[in-house]
Amino acid sequence: MSNTSRTHSRNSPENSDRADGRPSPMEVLRHARAQFTELTGLAAESVSSFEPTEDGWTLEIEVLELARVPDTMSLLASYQVDVSTDGELTGYRRVRRYERGRADPRRGGGS
């Protein structure tokens, strides 16, 4: 029964009314994606990492920067996005750019 209650509260709109007054991680994630898109004009394809920091949160957002044919040749980019504890975007920067069809050798791929 307590699991059902916990699941319900996590998915309910009252998440921001938590005891500490801070937004839930999902609220932070959604708000950060929306702010990033508004600032850059780039829509997030995915969020590849989401970590708490001393000052809030750090996300890595993957975006399509240049569509090509075939789609496997399209250029994507990863952006590091910093968010304050109250869920407001405080900064972002592109950390890498890559073709959709290429493996990333930096992150444990290949020989």
Side-chain angles (χ1 to χ4, degrees):
M1 185 160 184
S2 64
N3 284 345
T4 304
S5 175
R6 194 171 2 148
T7 301
H8 174 71
S9 67
R10 189 176 16 198
N11 294 325
S12 68
E14 298 87 36
N15 285 348
S16 59
D17 295 332
R18 296 176 357 165
D20 61 7
R22 294 186 326 201
S24 72
M26 284 307 297
E27 288 174 317
V28 170
L29 183 78
R30 287 183 189 113
H31 192 59
R33 285 179 65 161
Q35 289 178 86
F36 178 79
T37 298
E38 185 176 346
L39 284 170
T40 65
L42 300 169
E45 288 207 347
S46 65
V47 175
S48 56
S49 71
F50 183 61
E51 303 174 47
T53 65
E54 289 182 19
D55 301 324
W57 302 89
T58 295
L59 294 76
E60 192 163 315
I61 295 178
E62 310 297 319
V63 300
L64 175 65
E65 285 202 333
L66 180 62
R68 290 185 175 162
V69 176
D71 189 48
T72 55
M73 297 302 292
S74 293
L75 291 179
L76 291 112
S78 293
Y79 283 81
Q80 177 182 317
V81 177
D82 298 318
V83 181
S84 67
T85 54
D86 61 354
E88 295 301 315
L89 192 143
T90 59
Y92 67 90
R93 67 184 178 96
R94 184 170 64 195
V95 293
R96 65 188 170 111
R97 197 172 193 208
Y98 57 98
E99 291 178 335
R100 186 185 298 273
R102 303 259 176 159
D104 188 353
R106 294 188 313 154
R107 301 207 180 201
S111 40

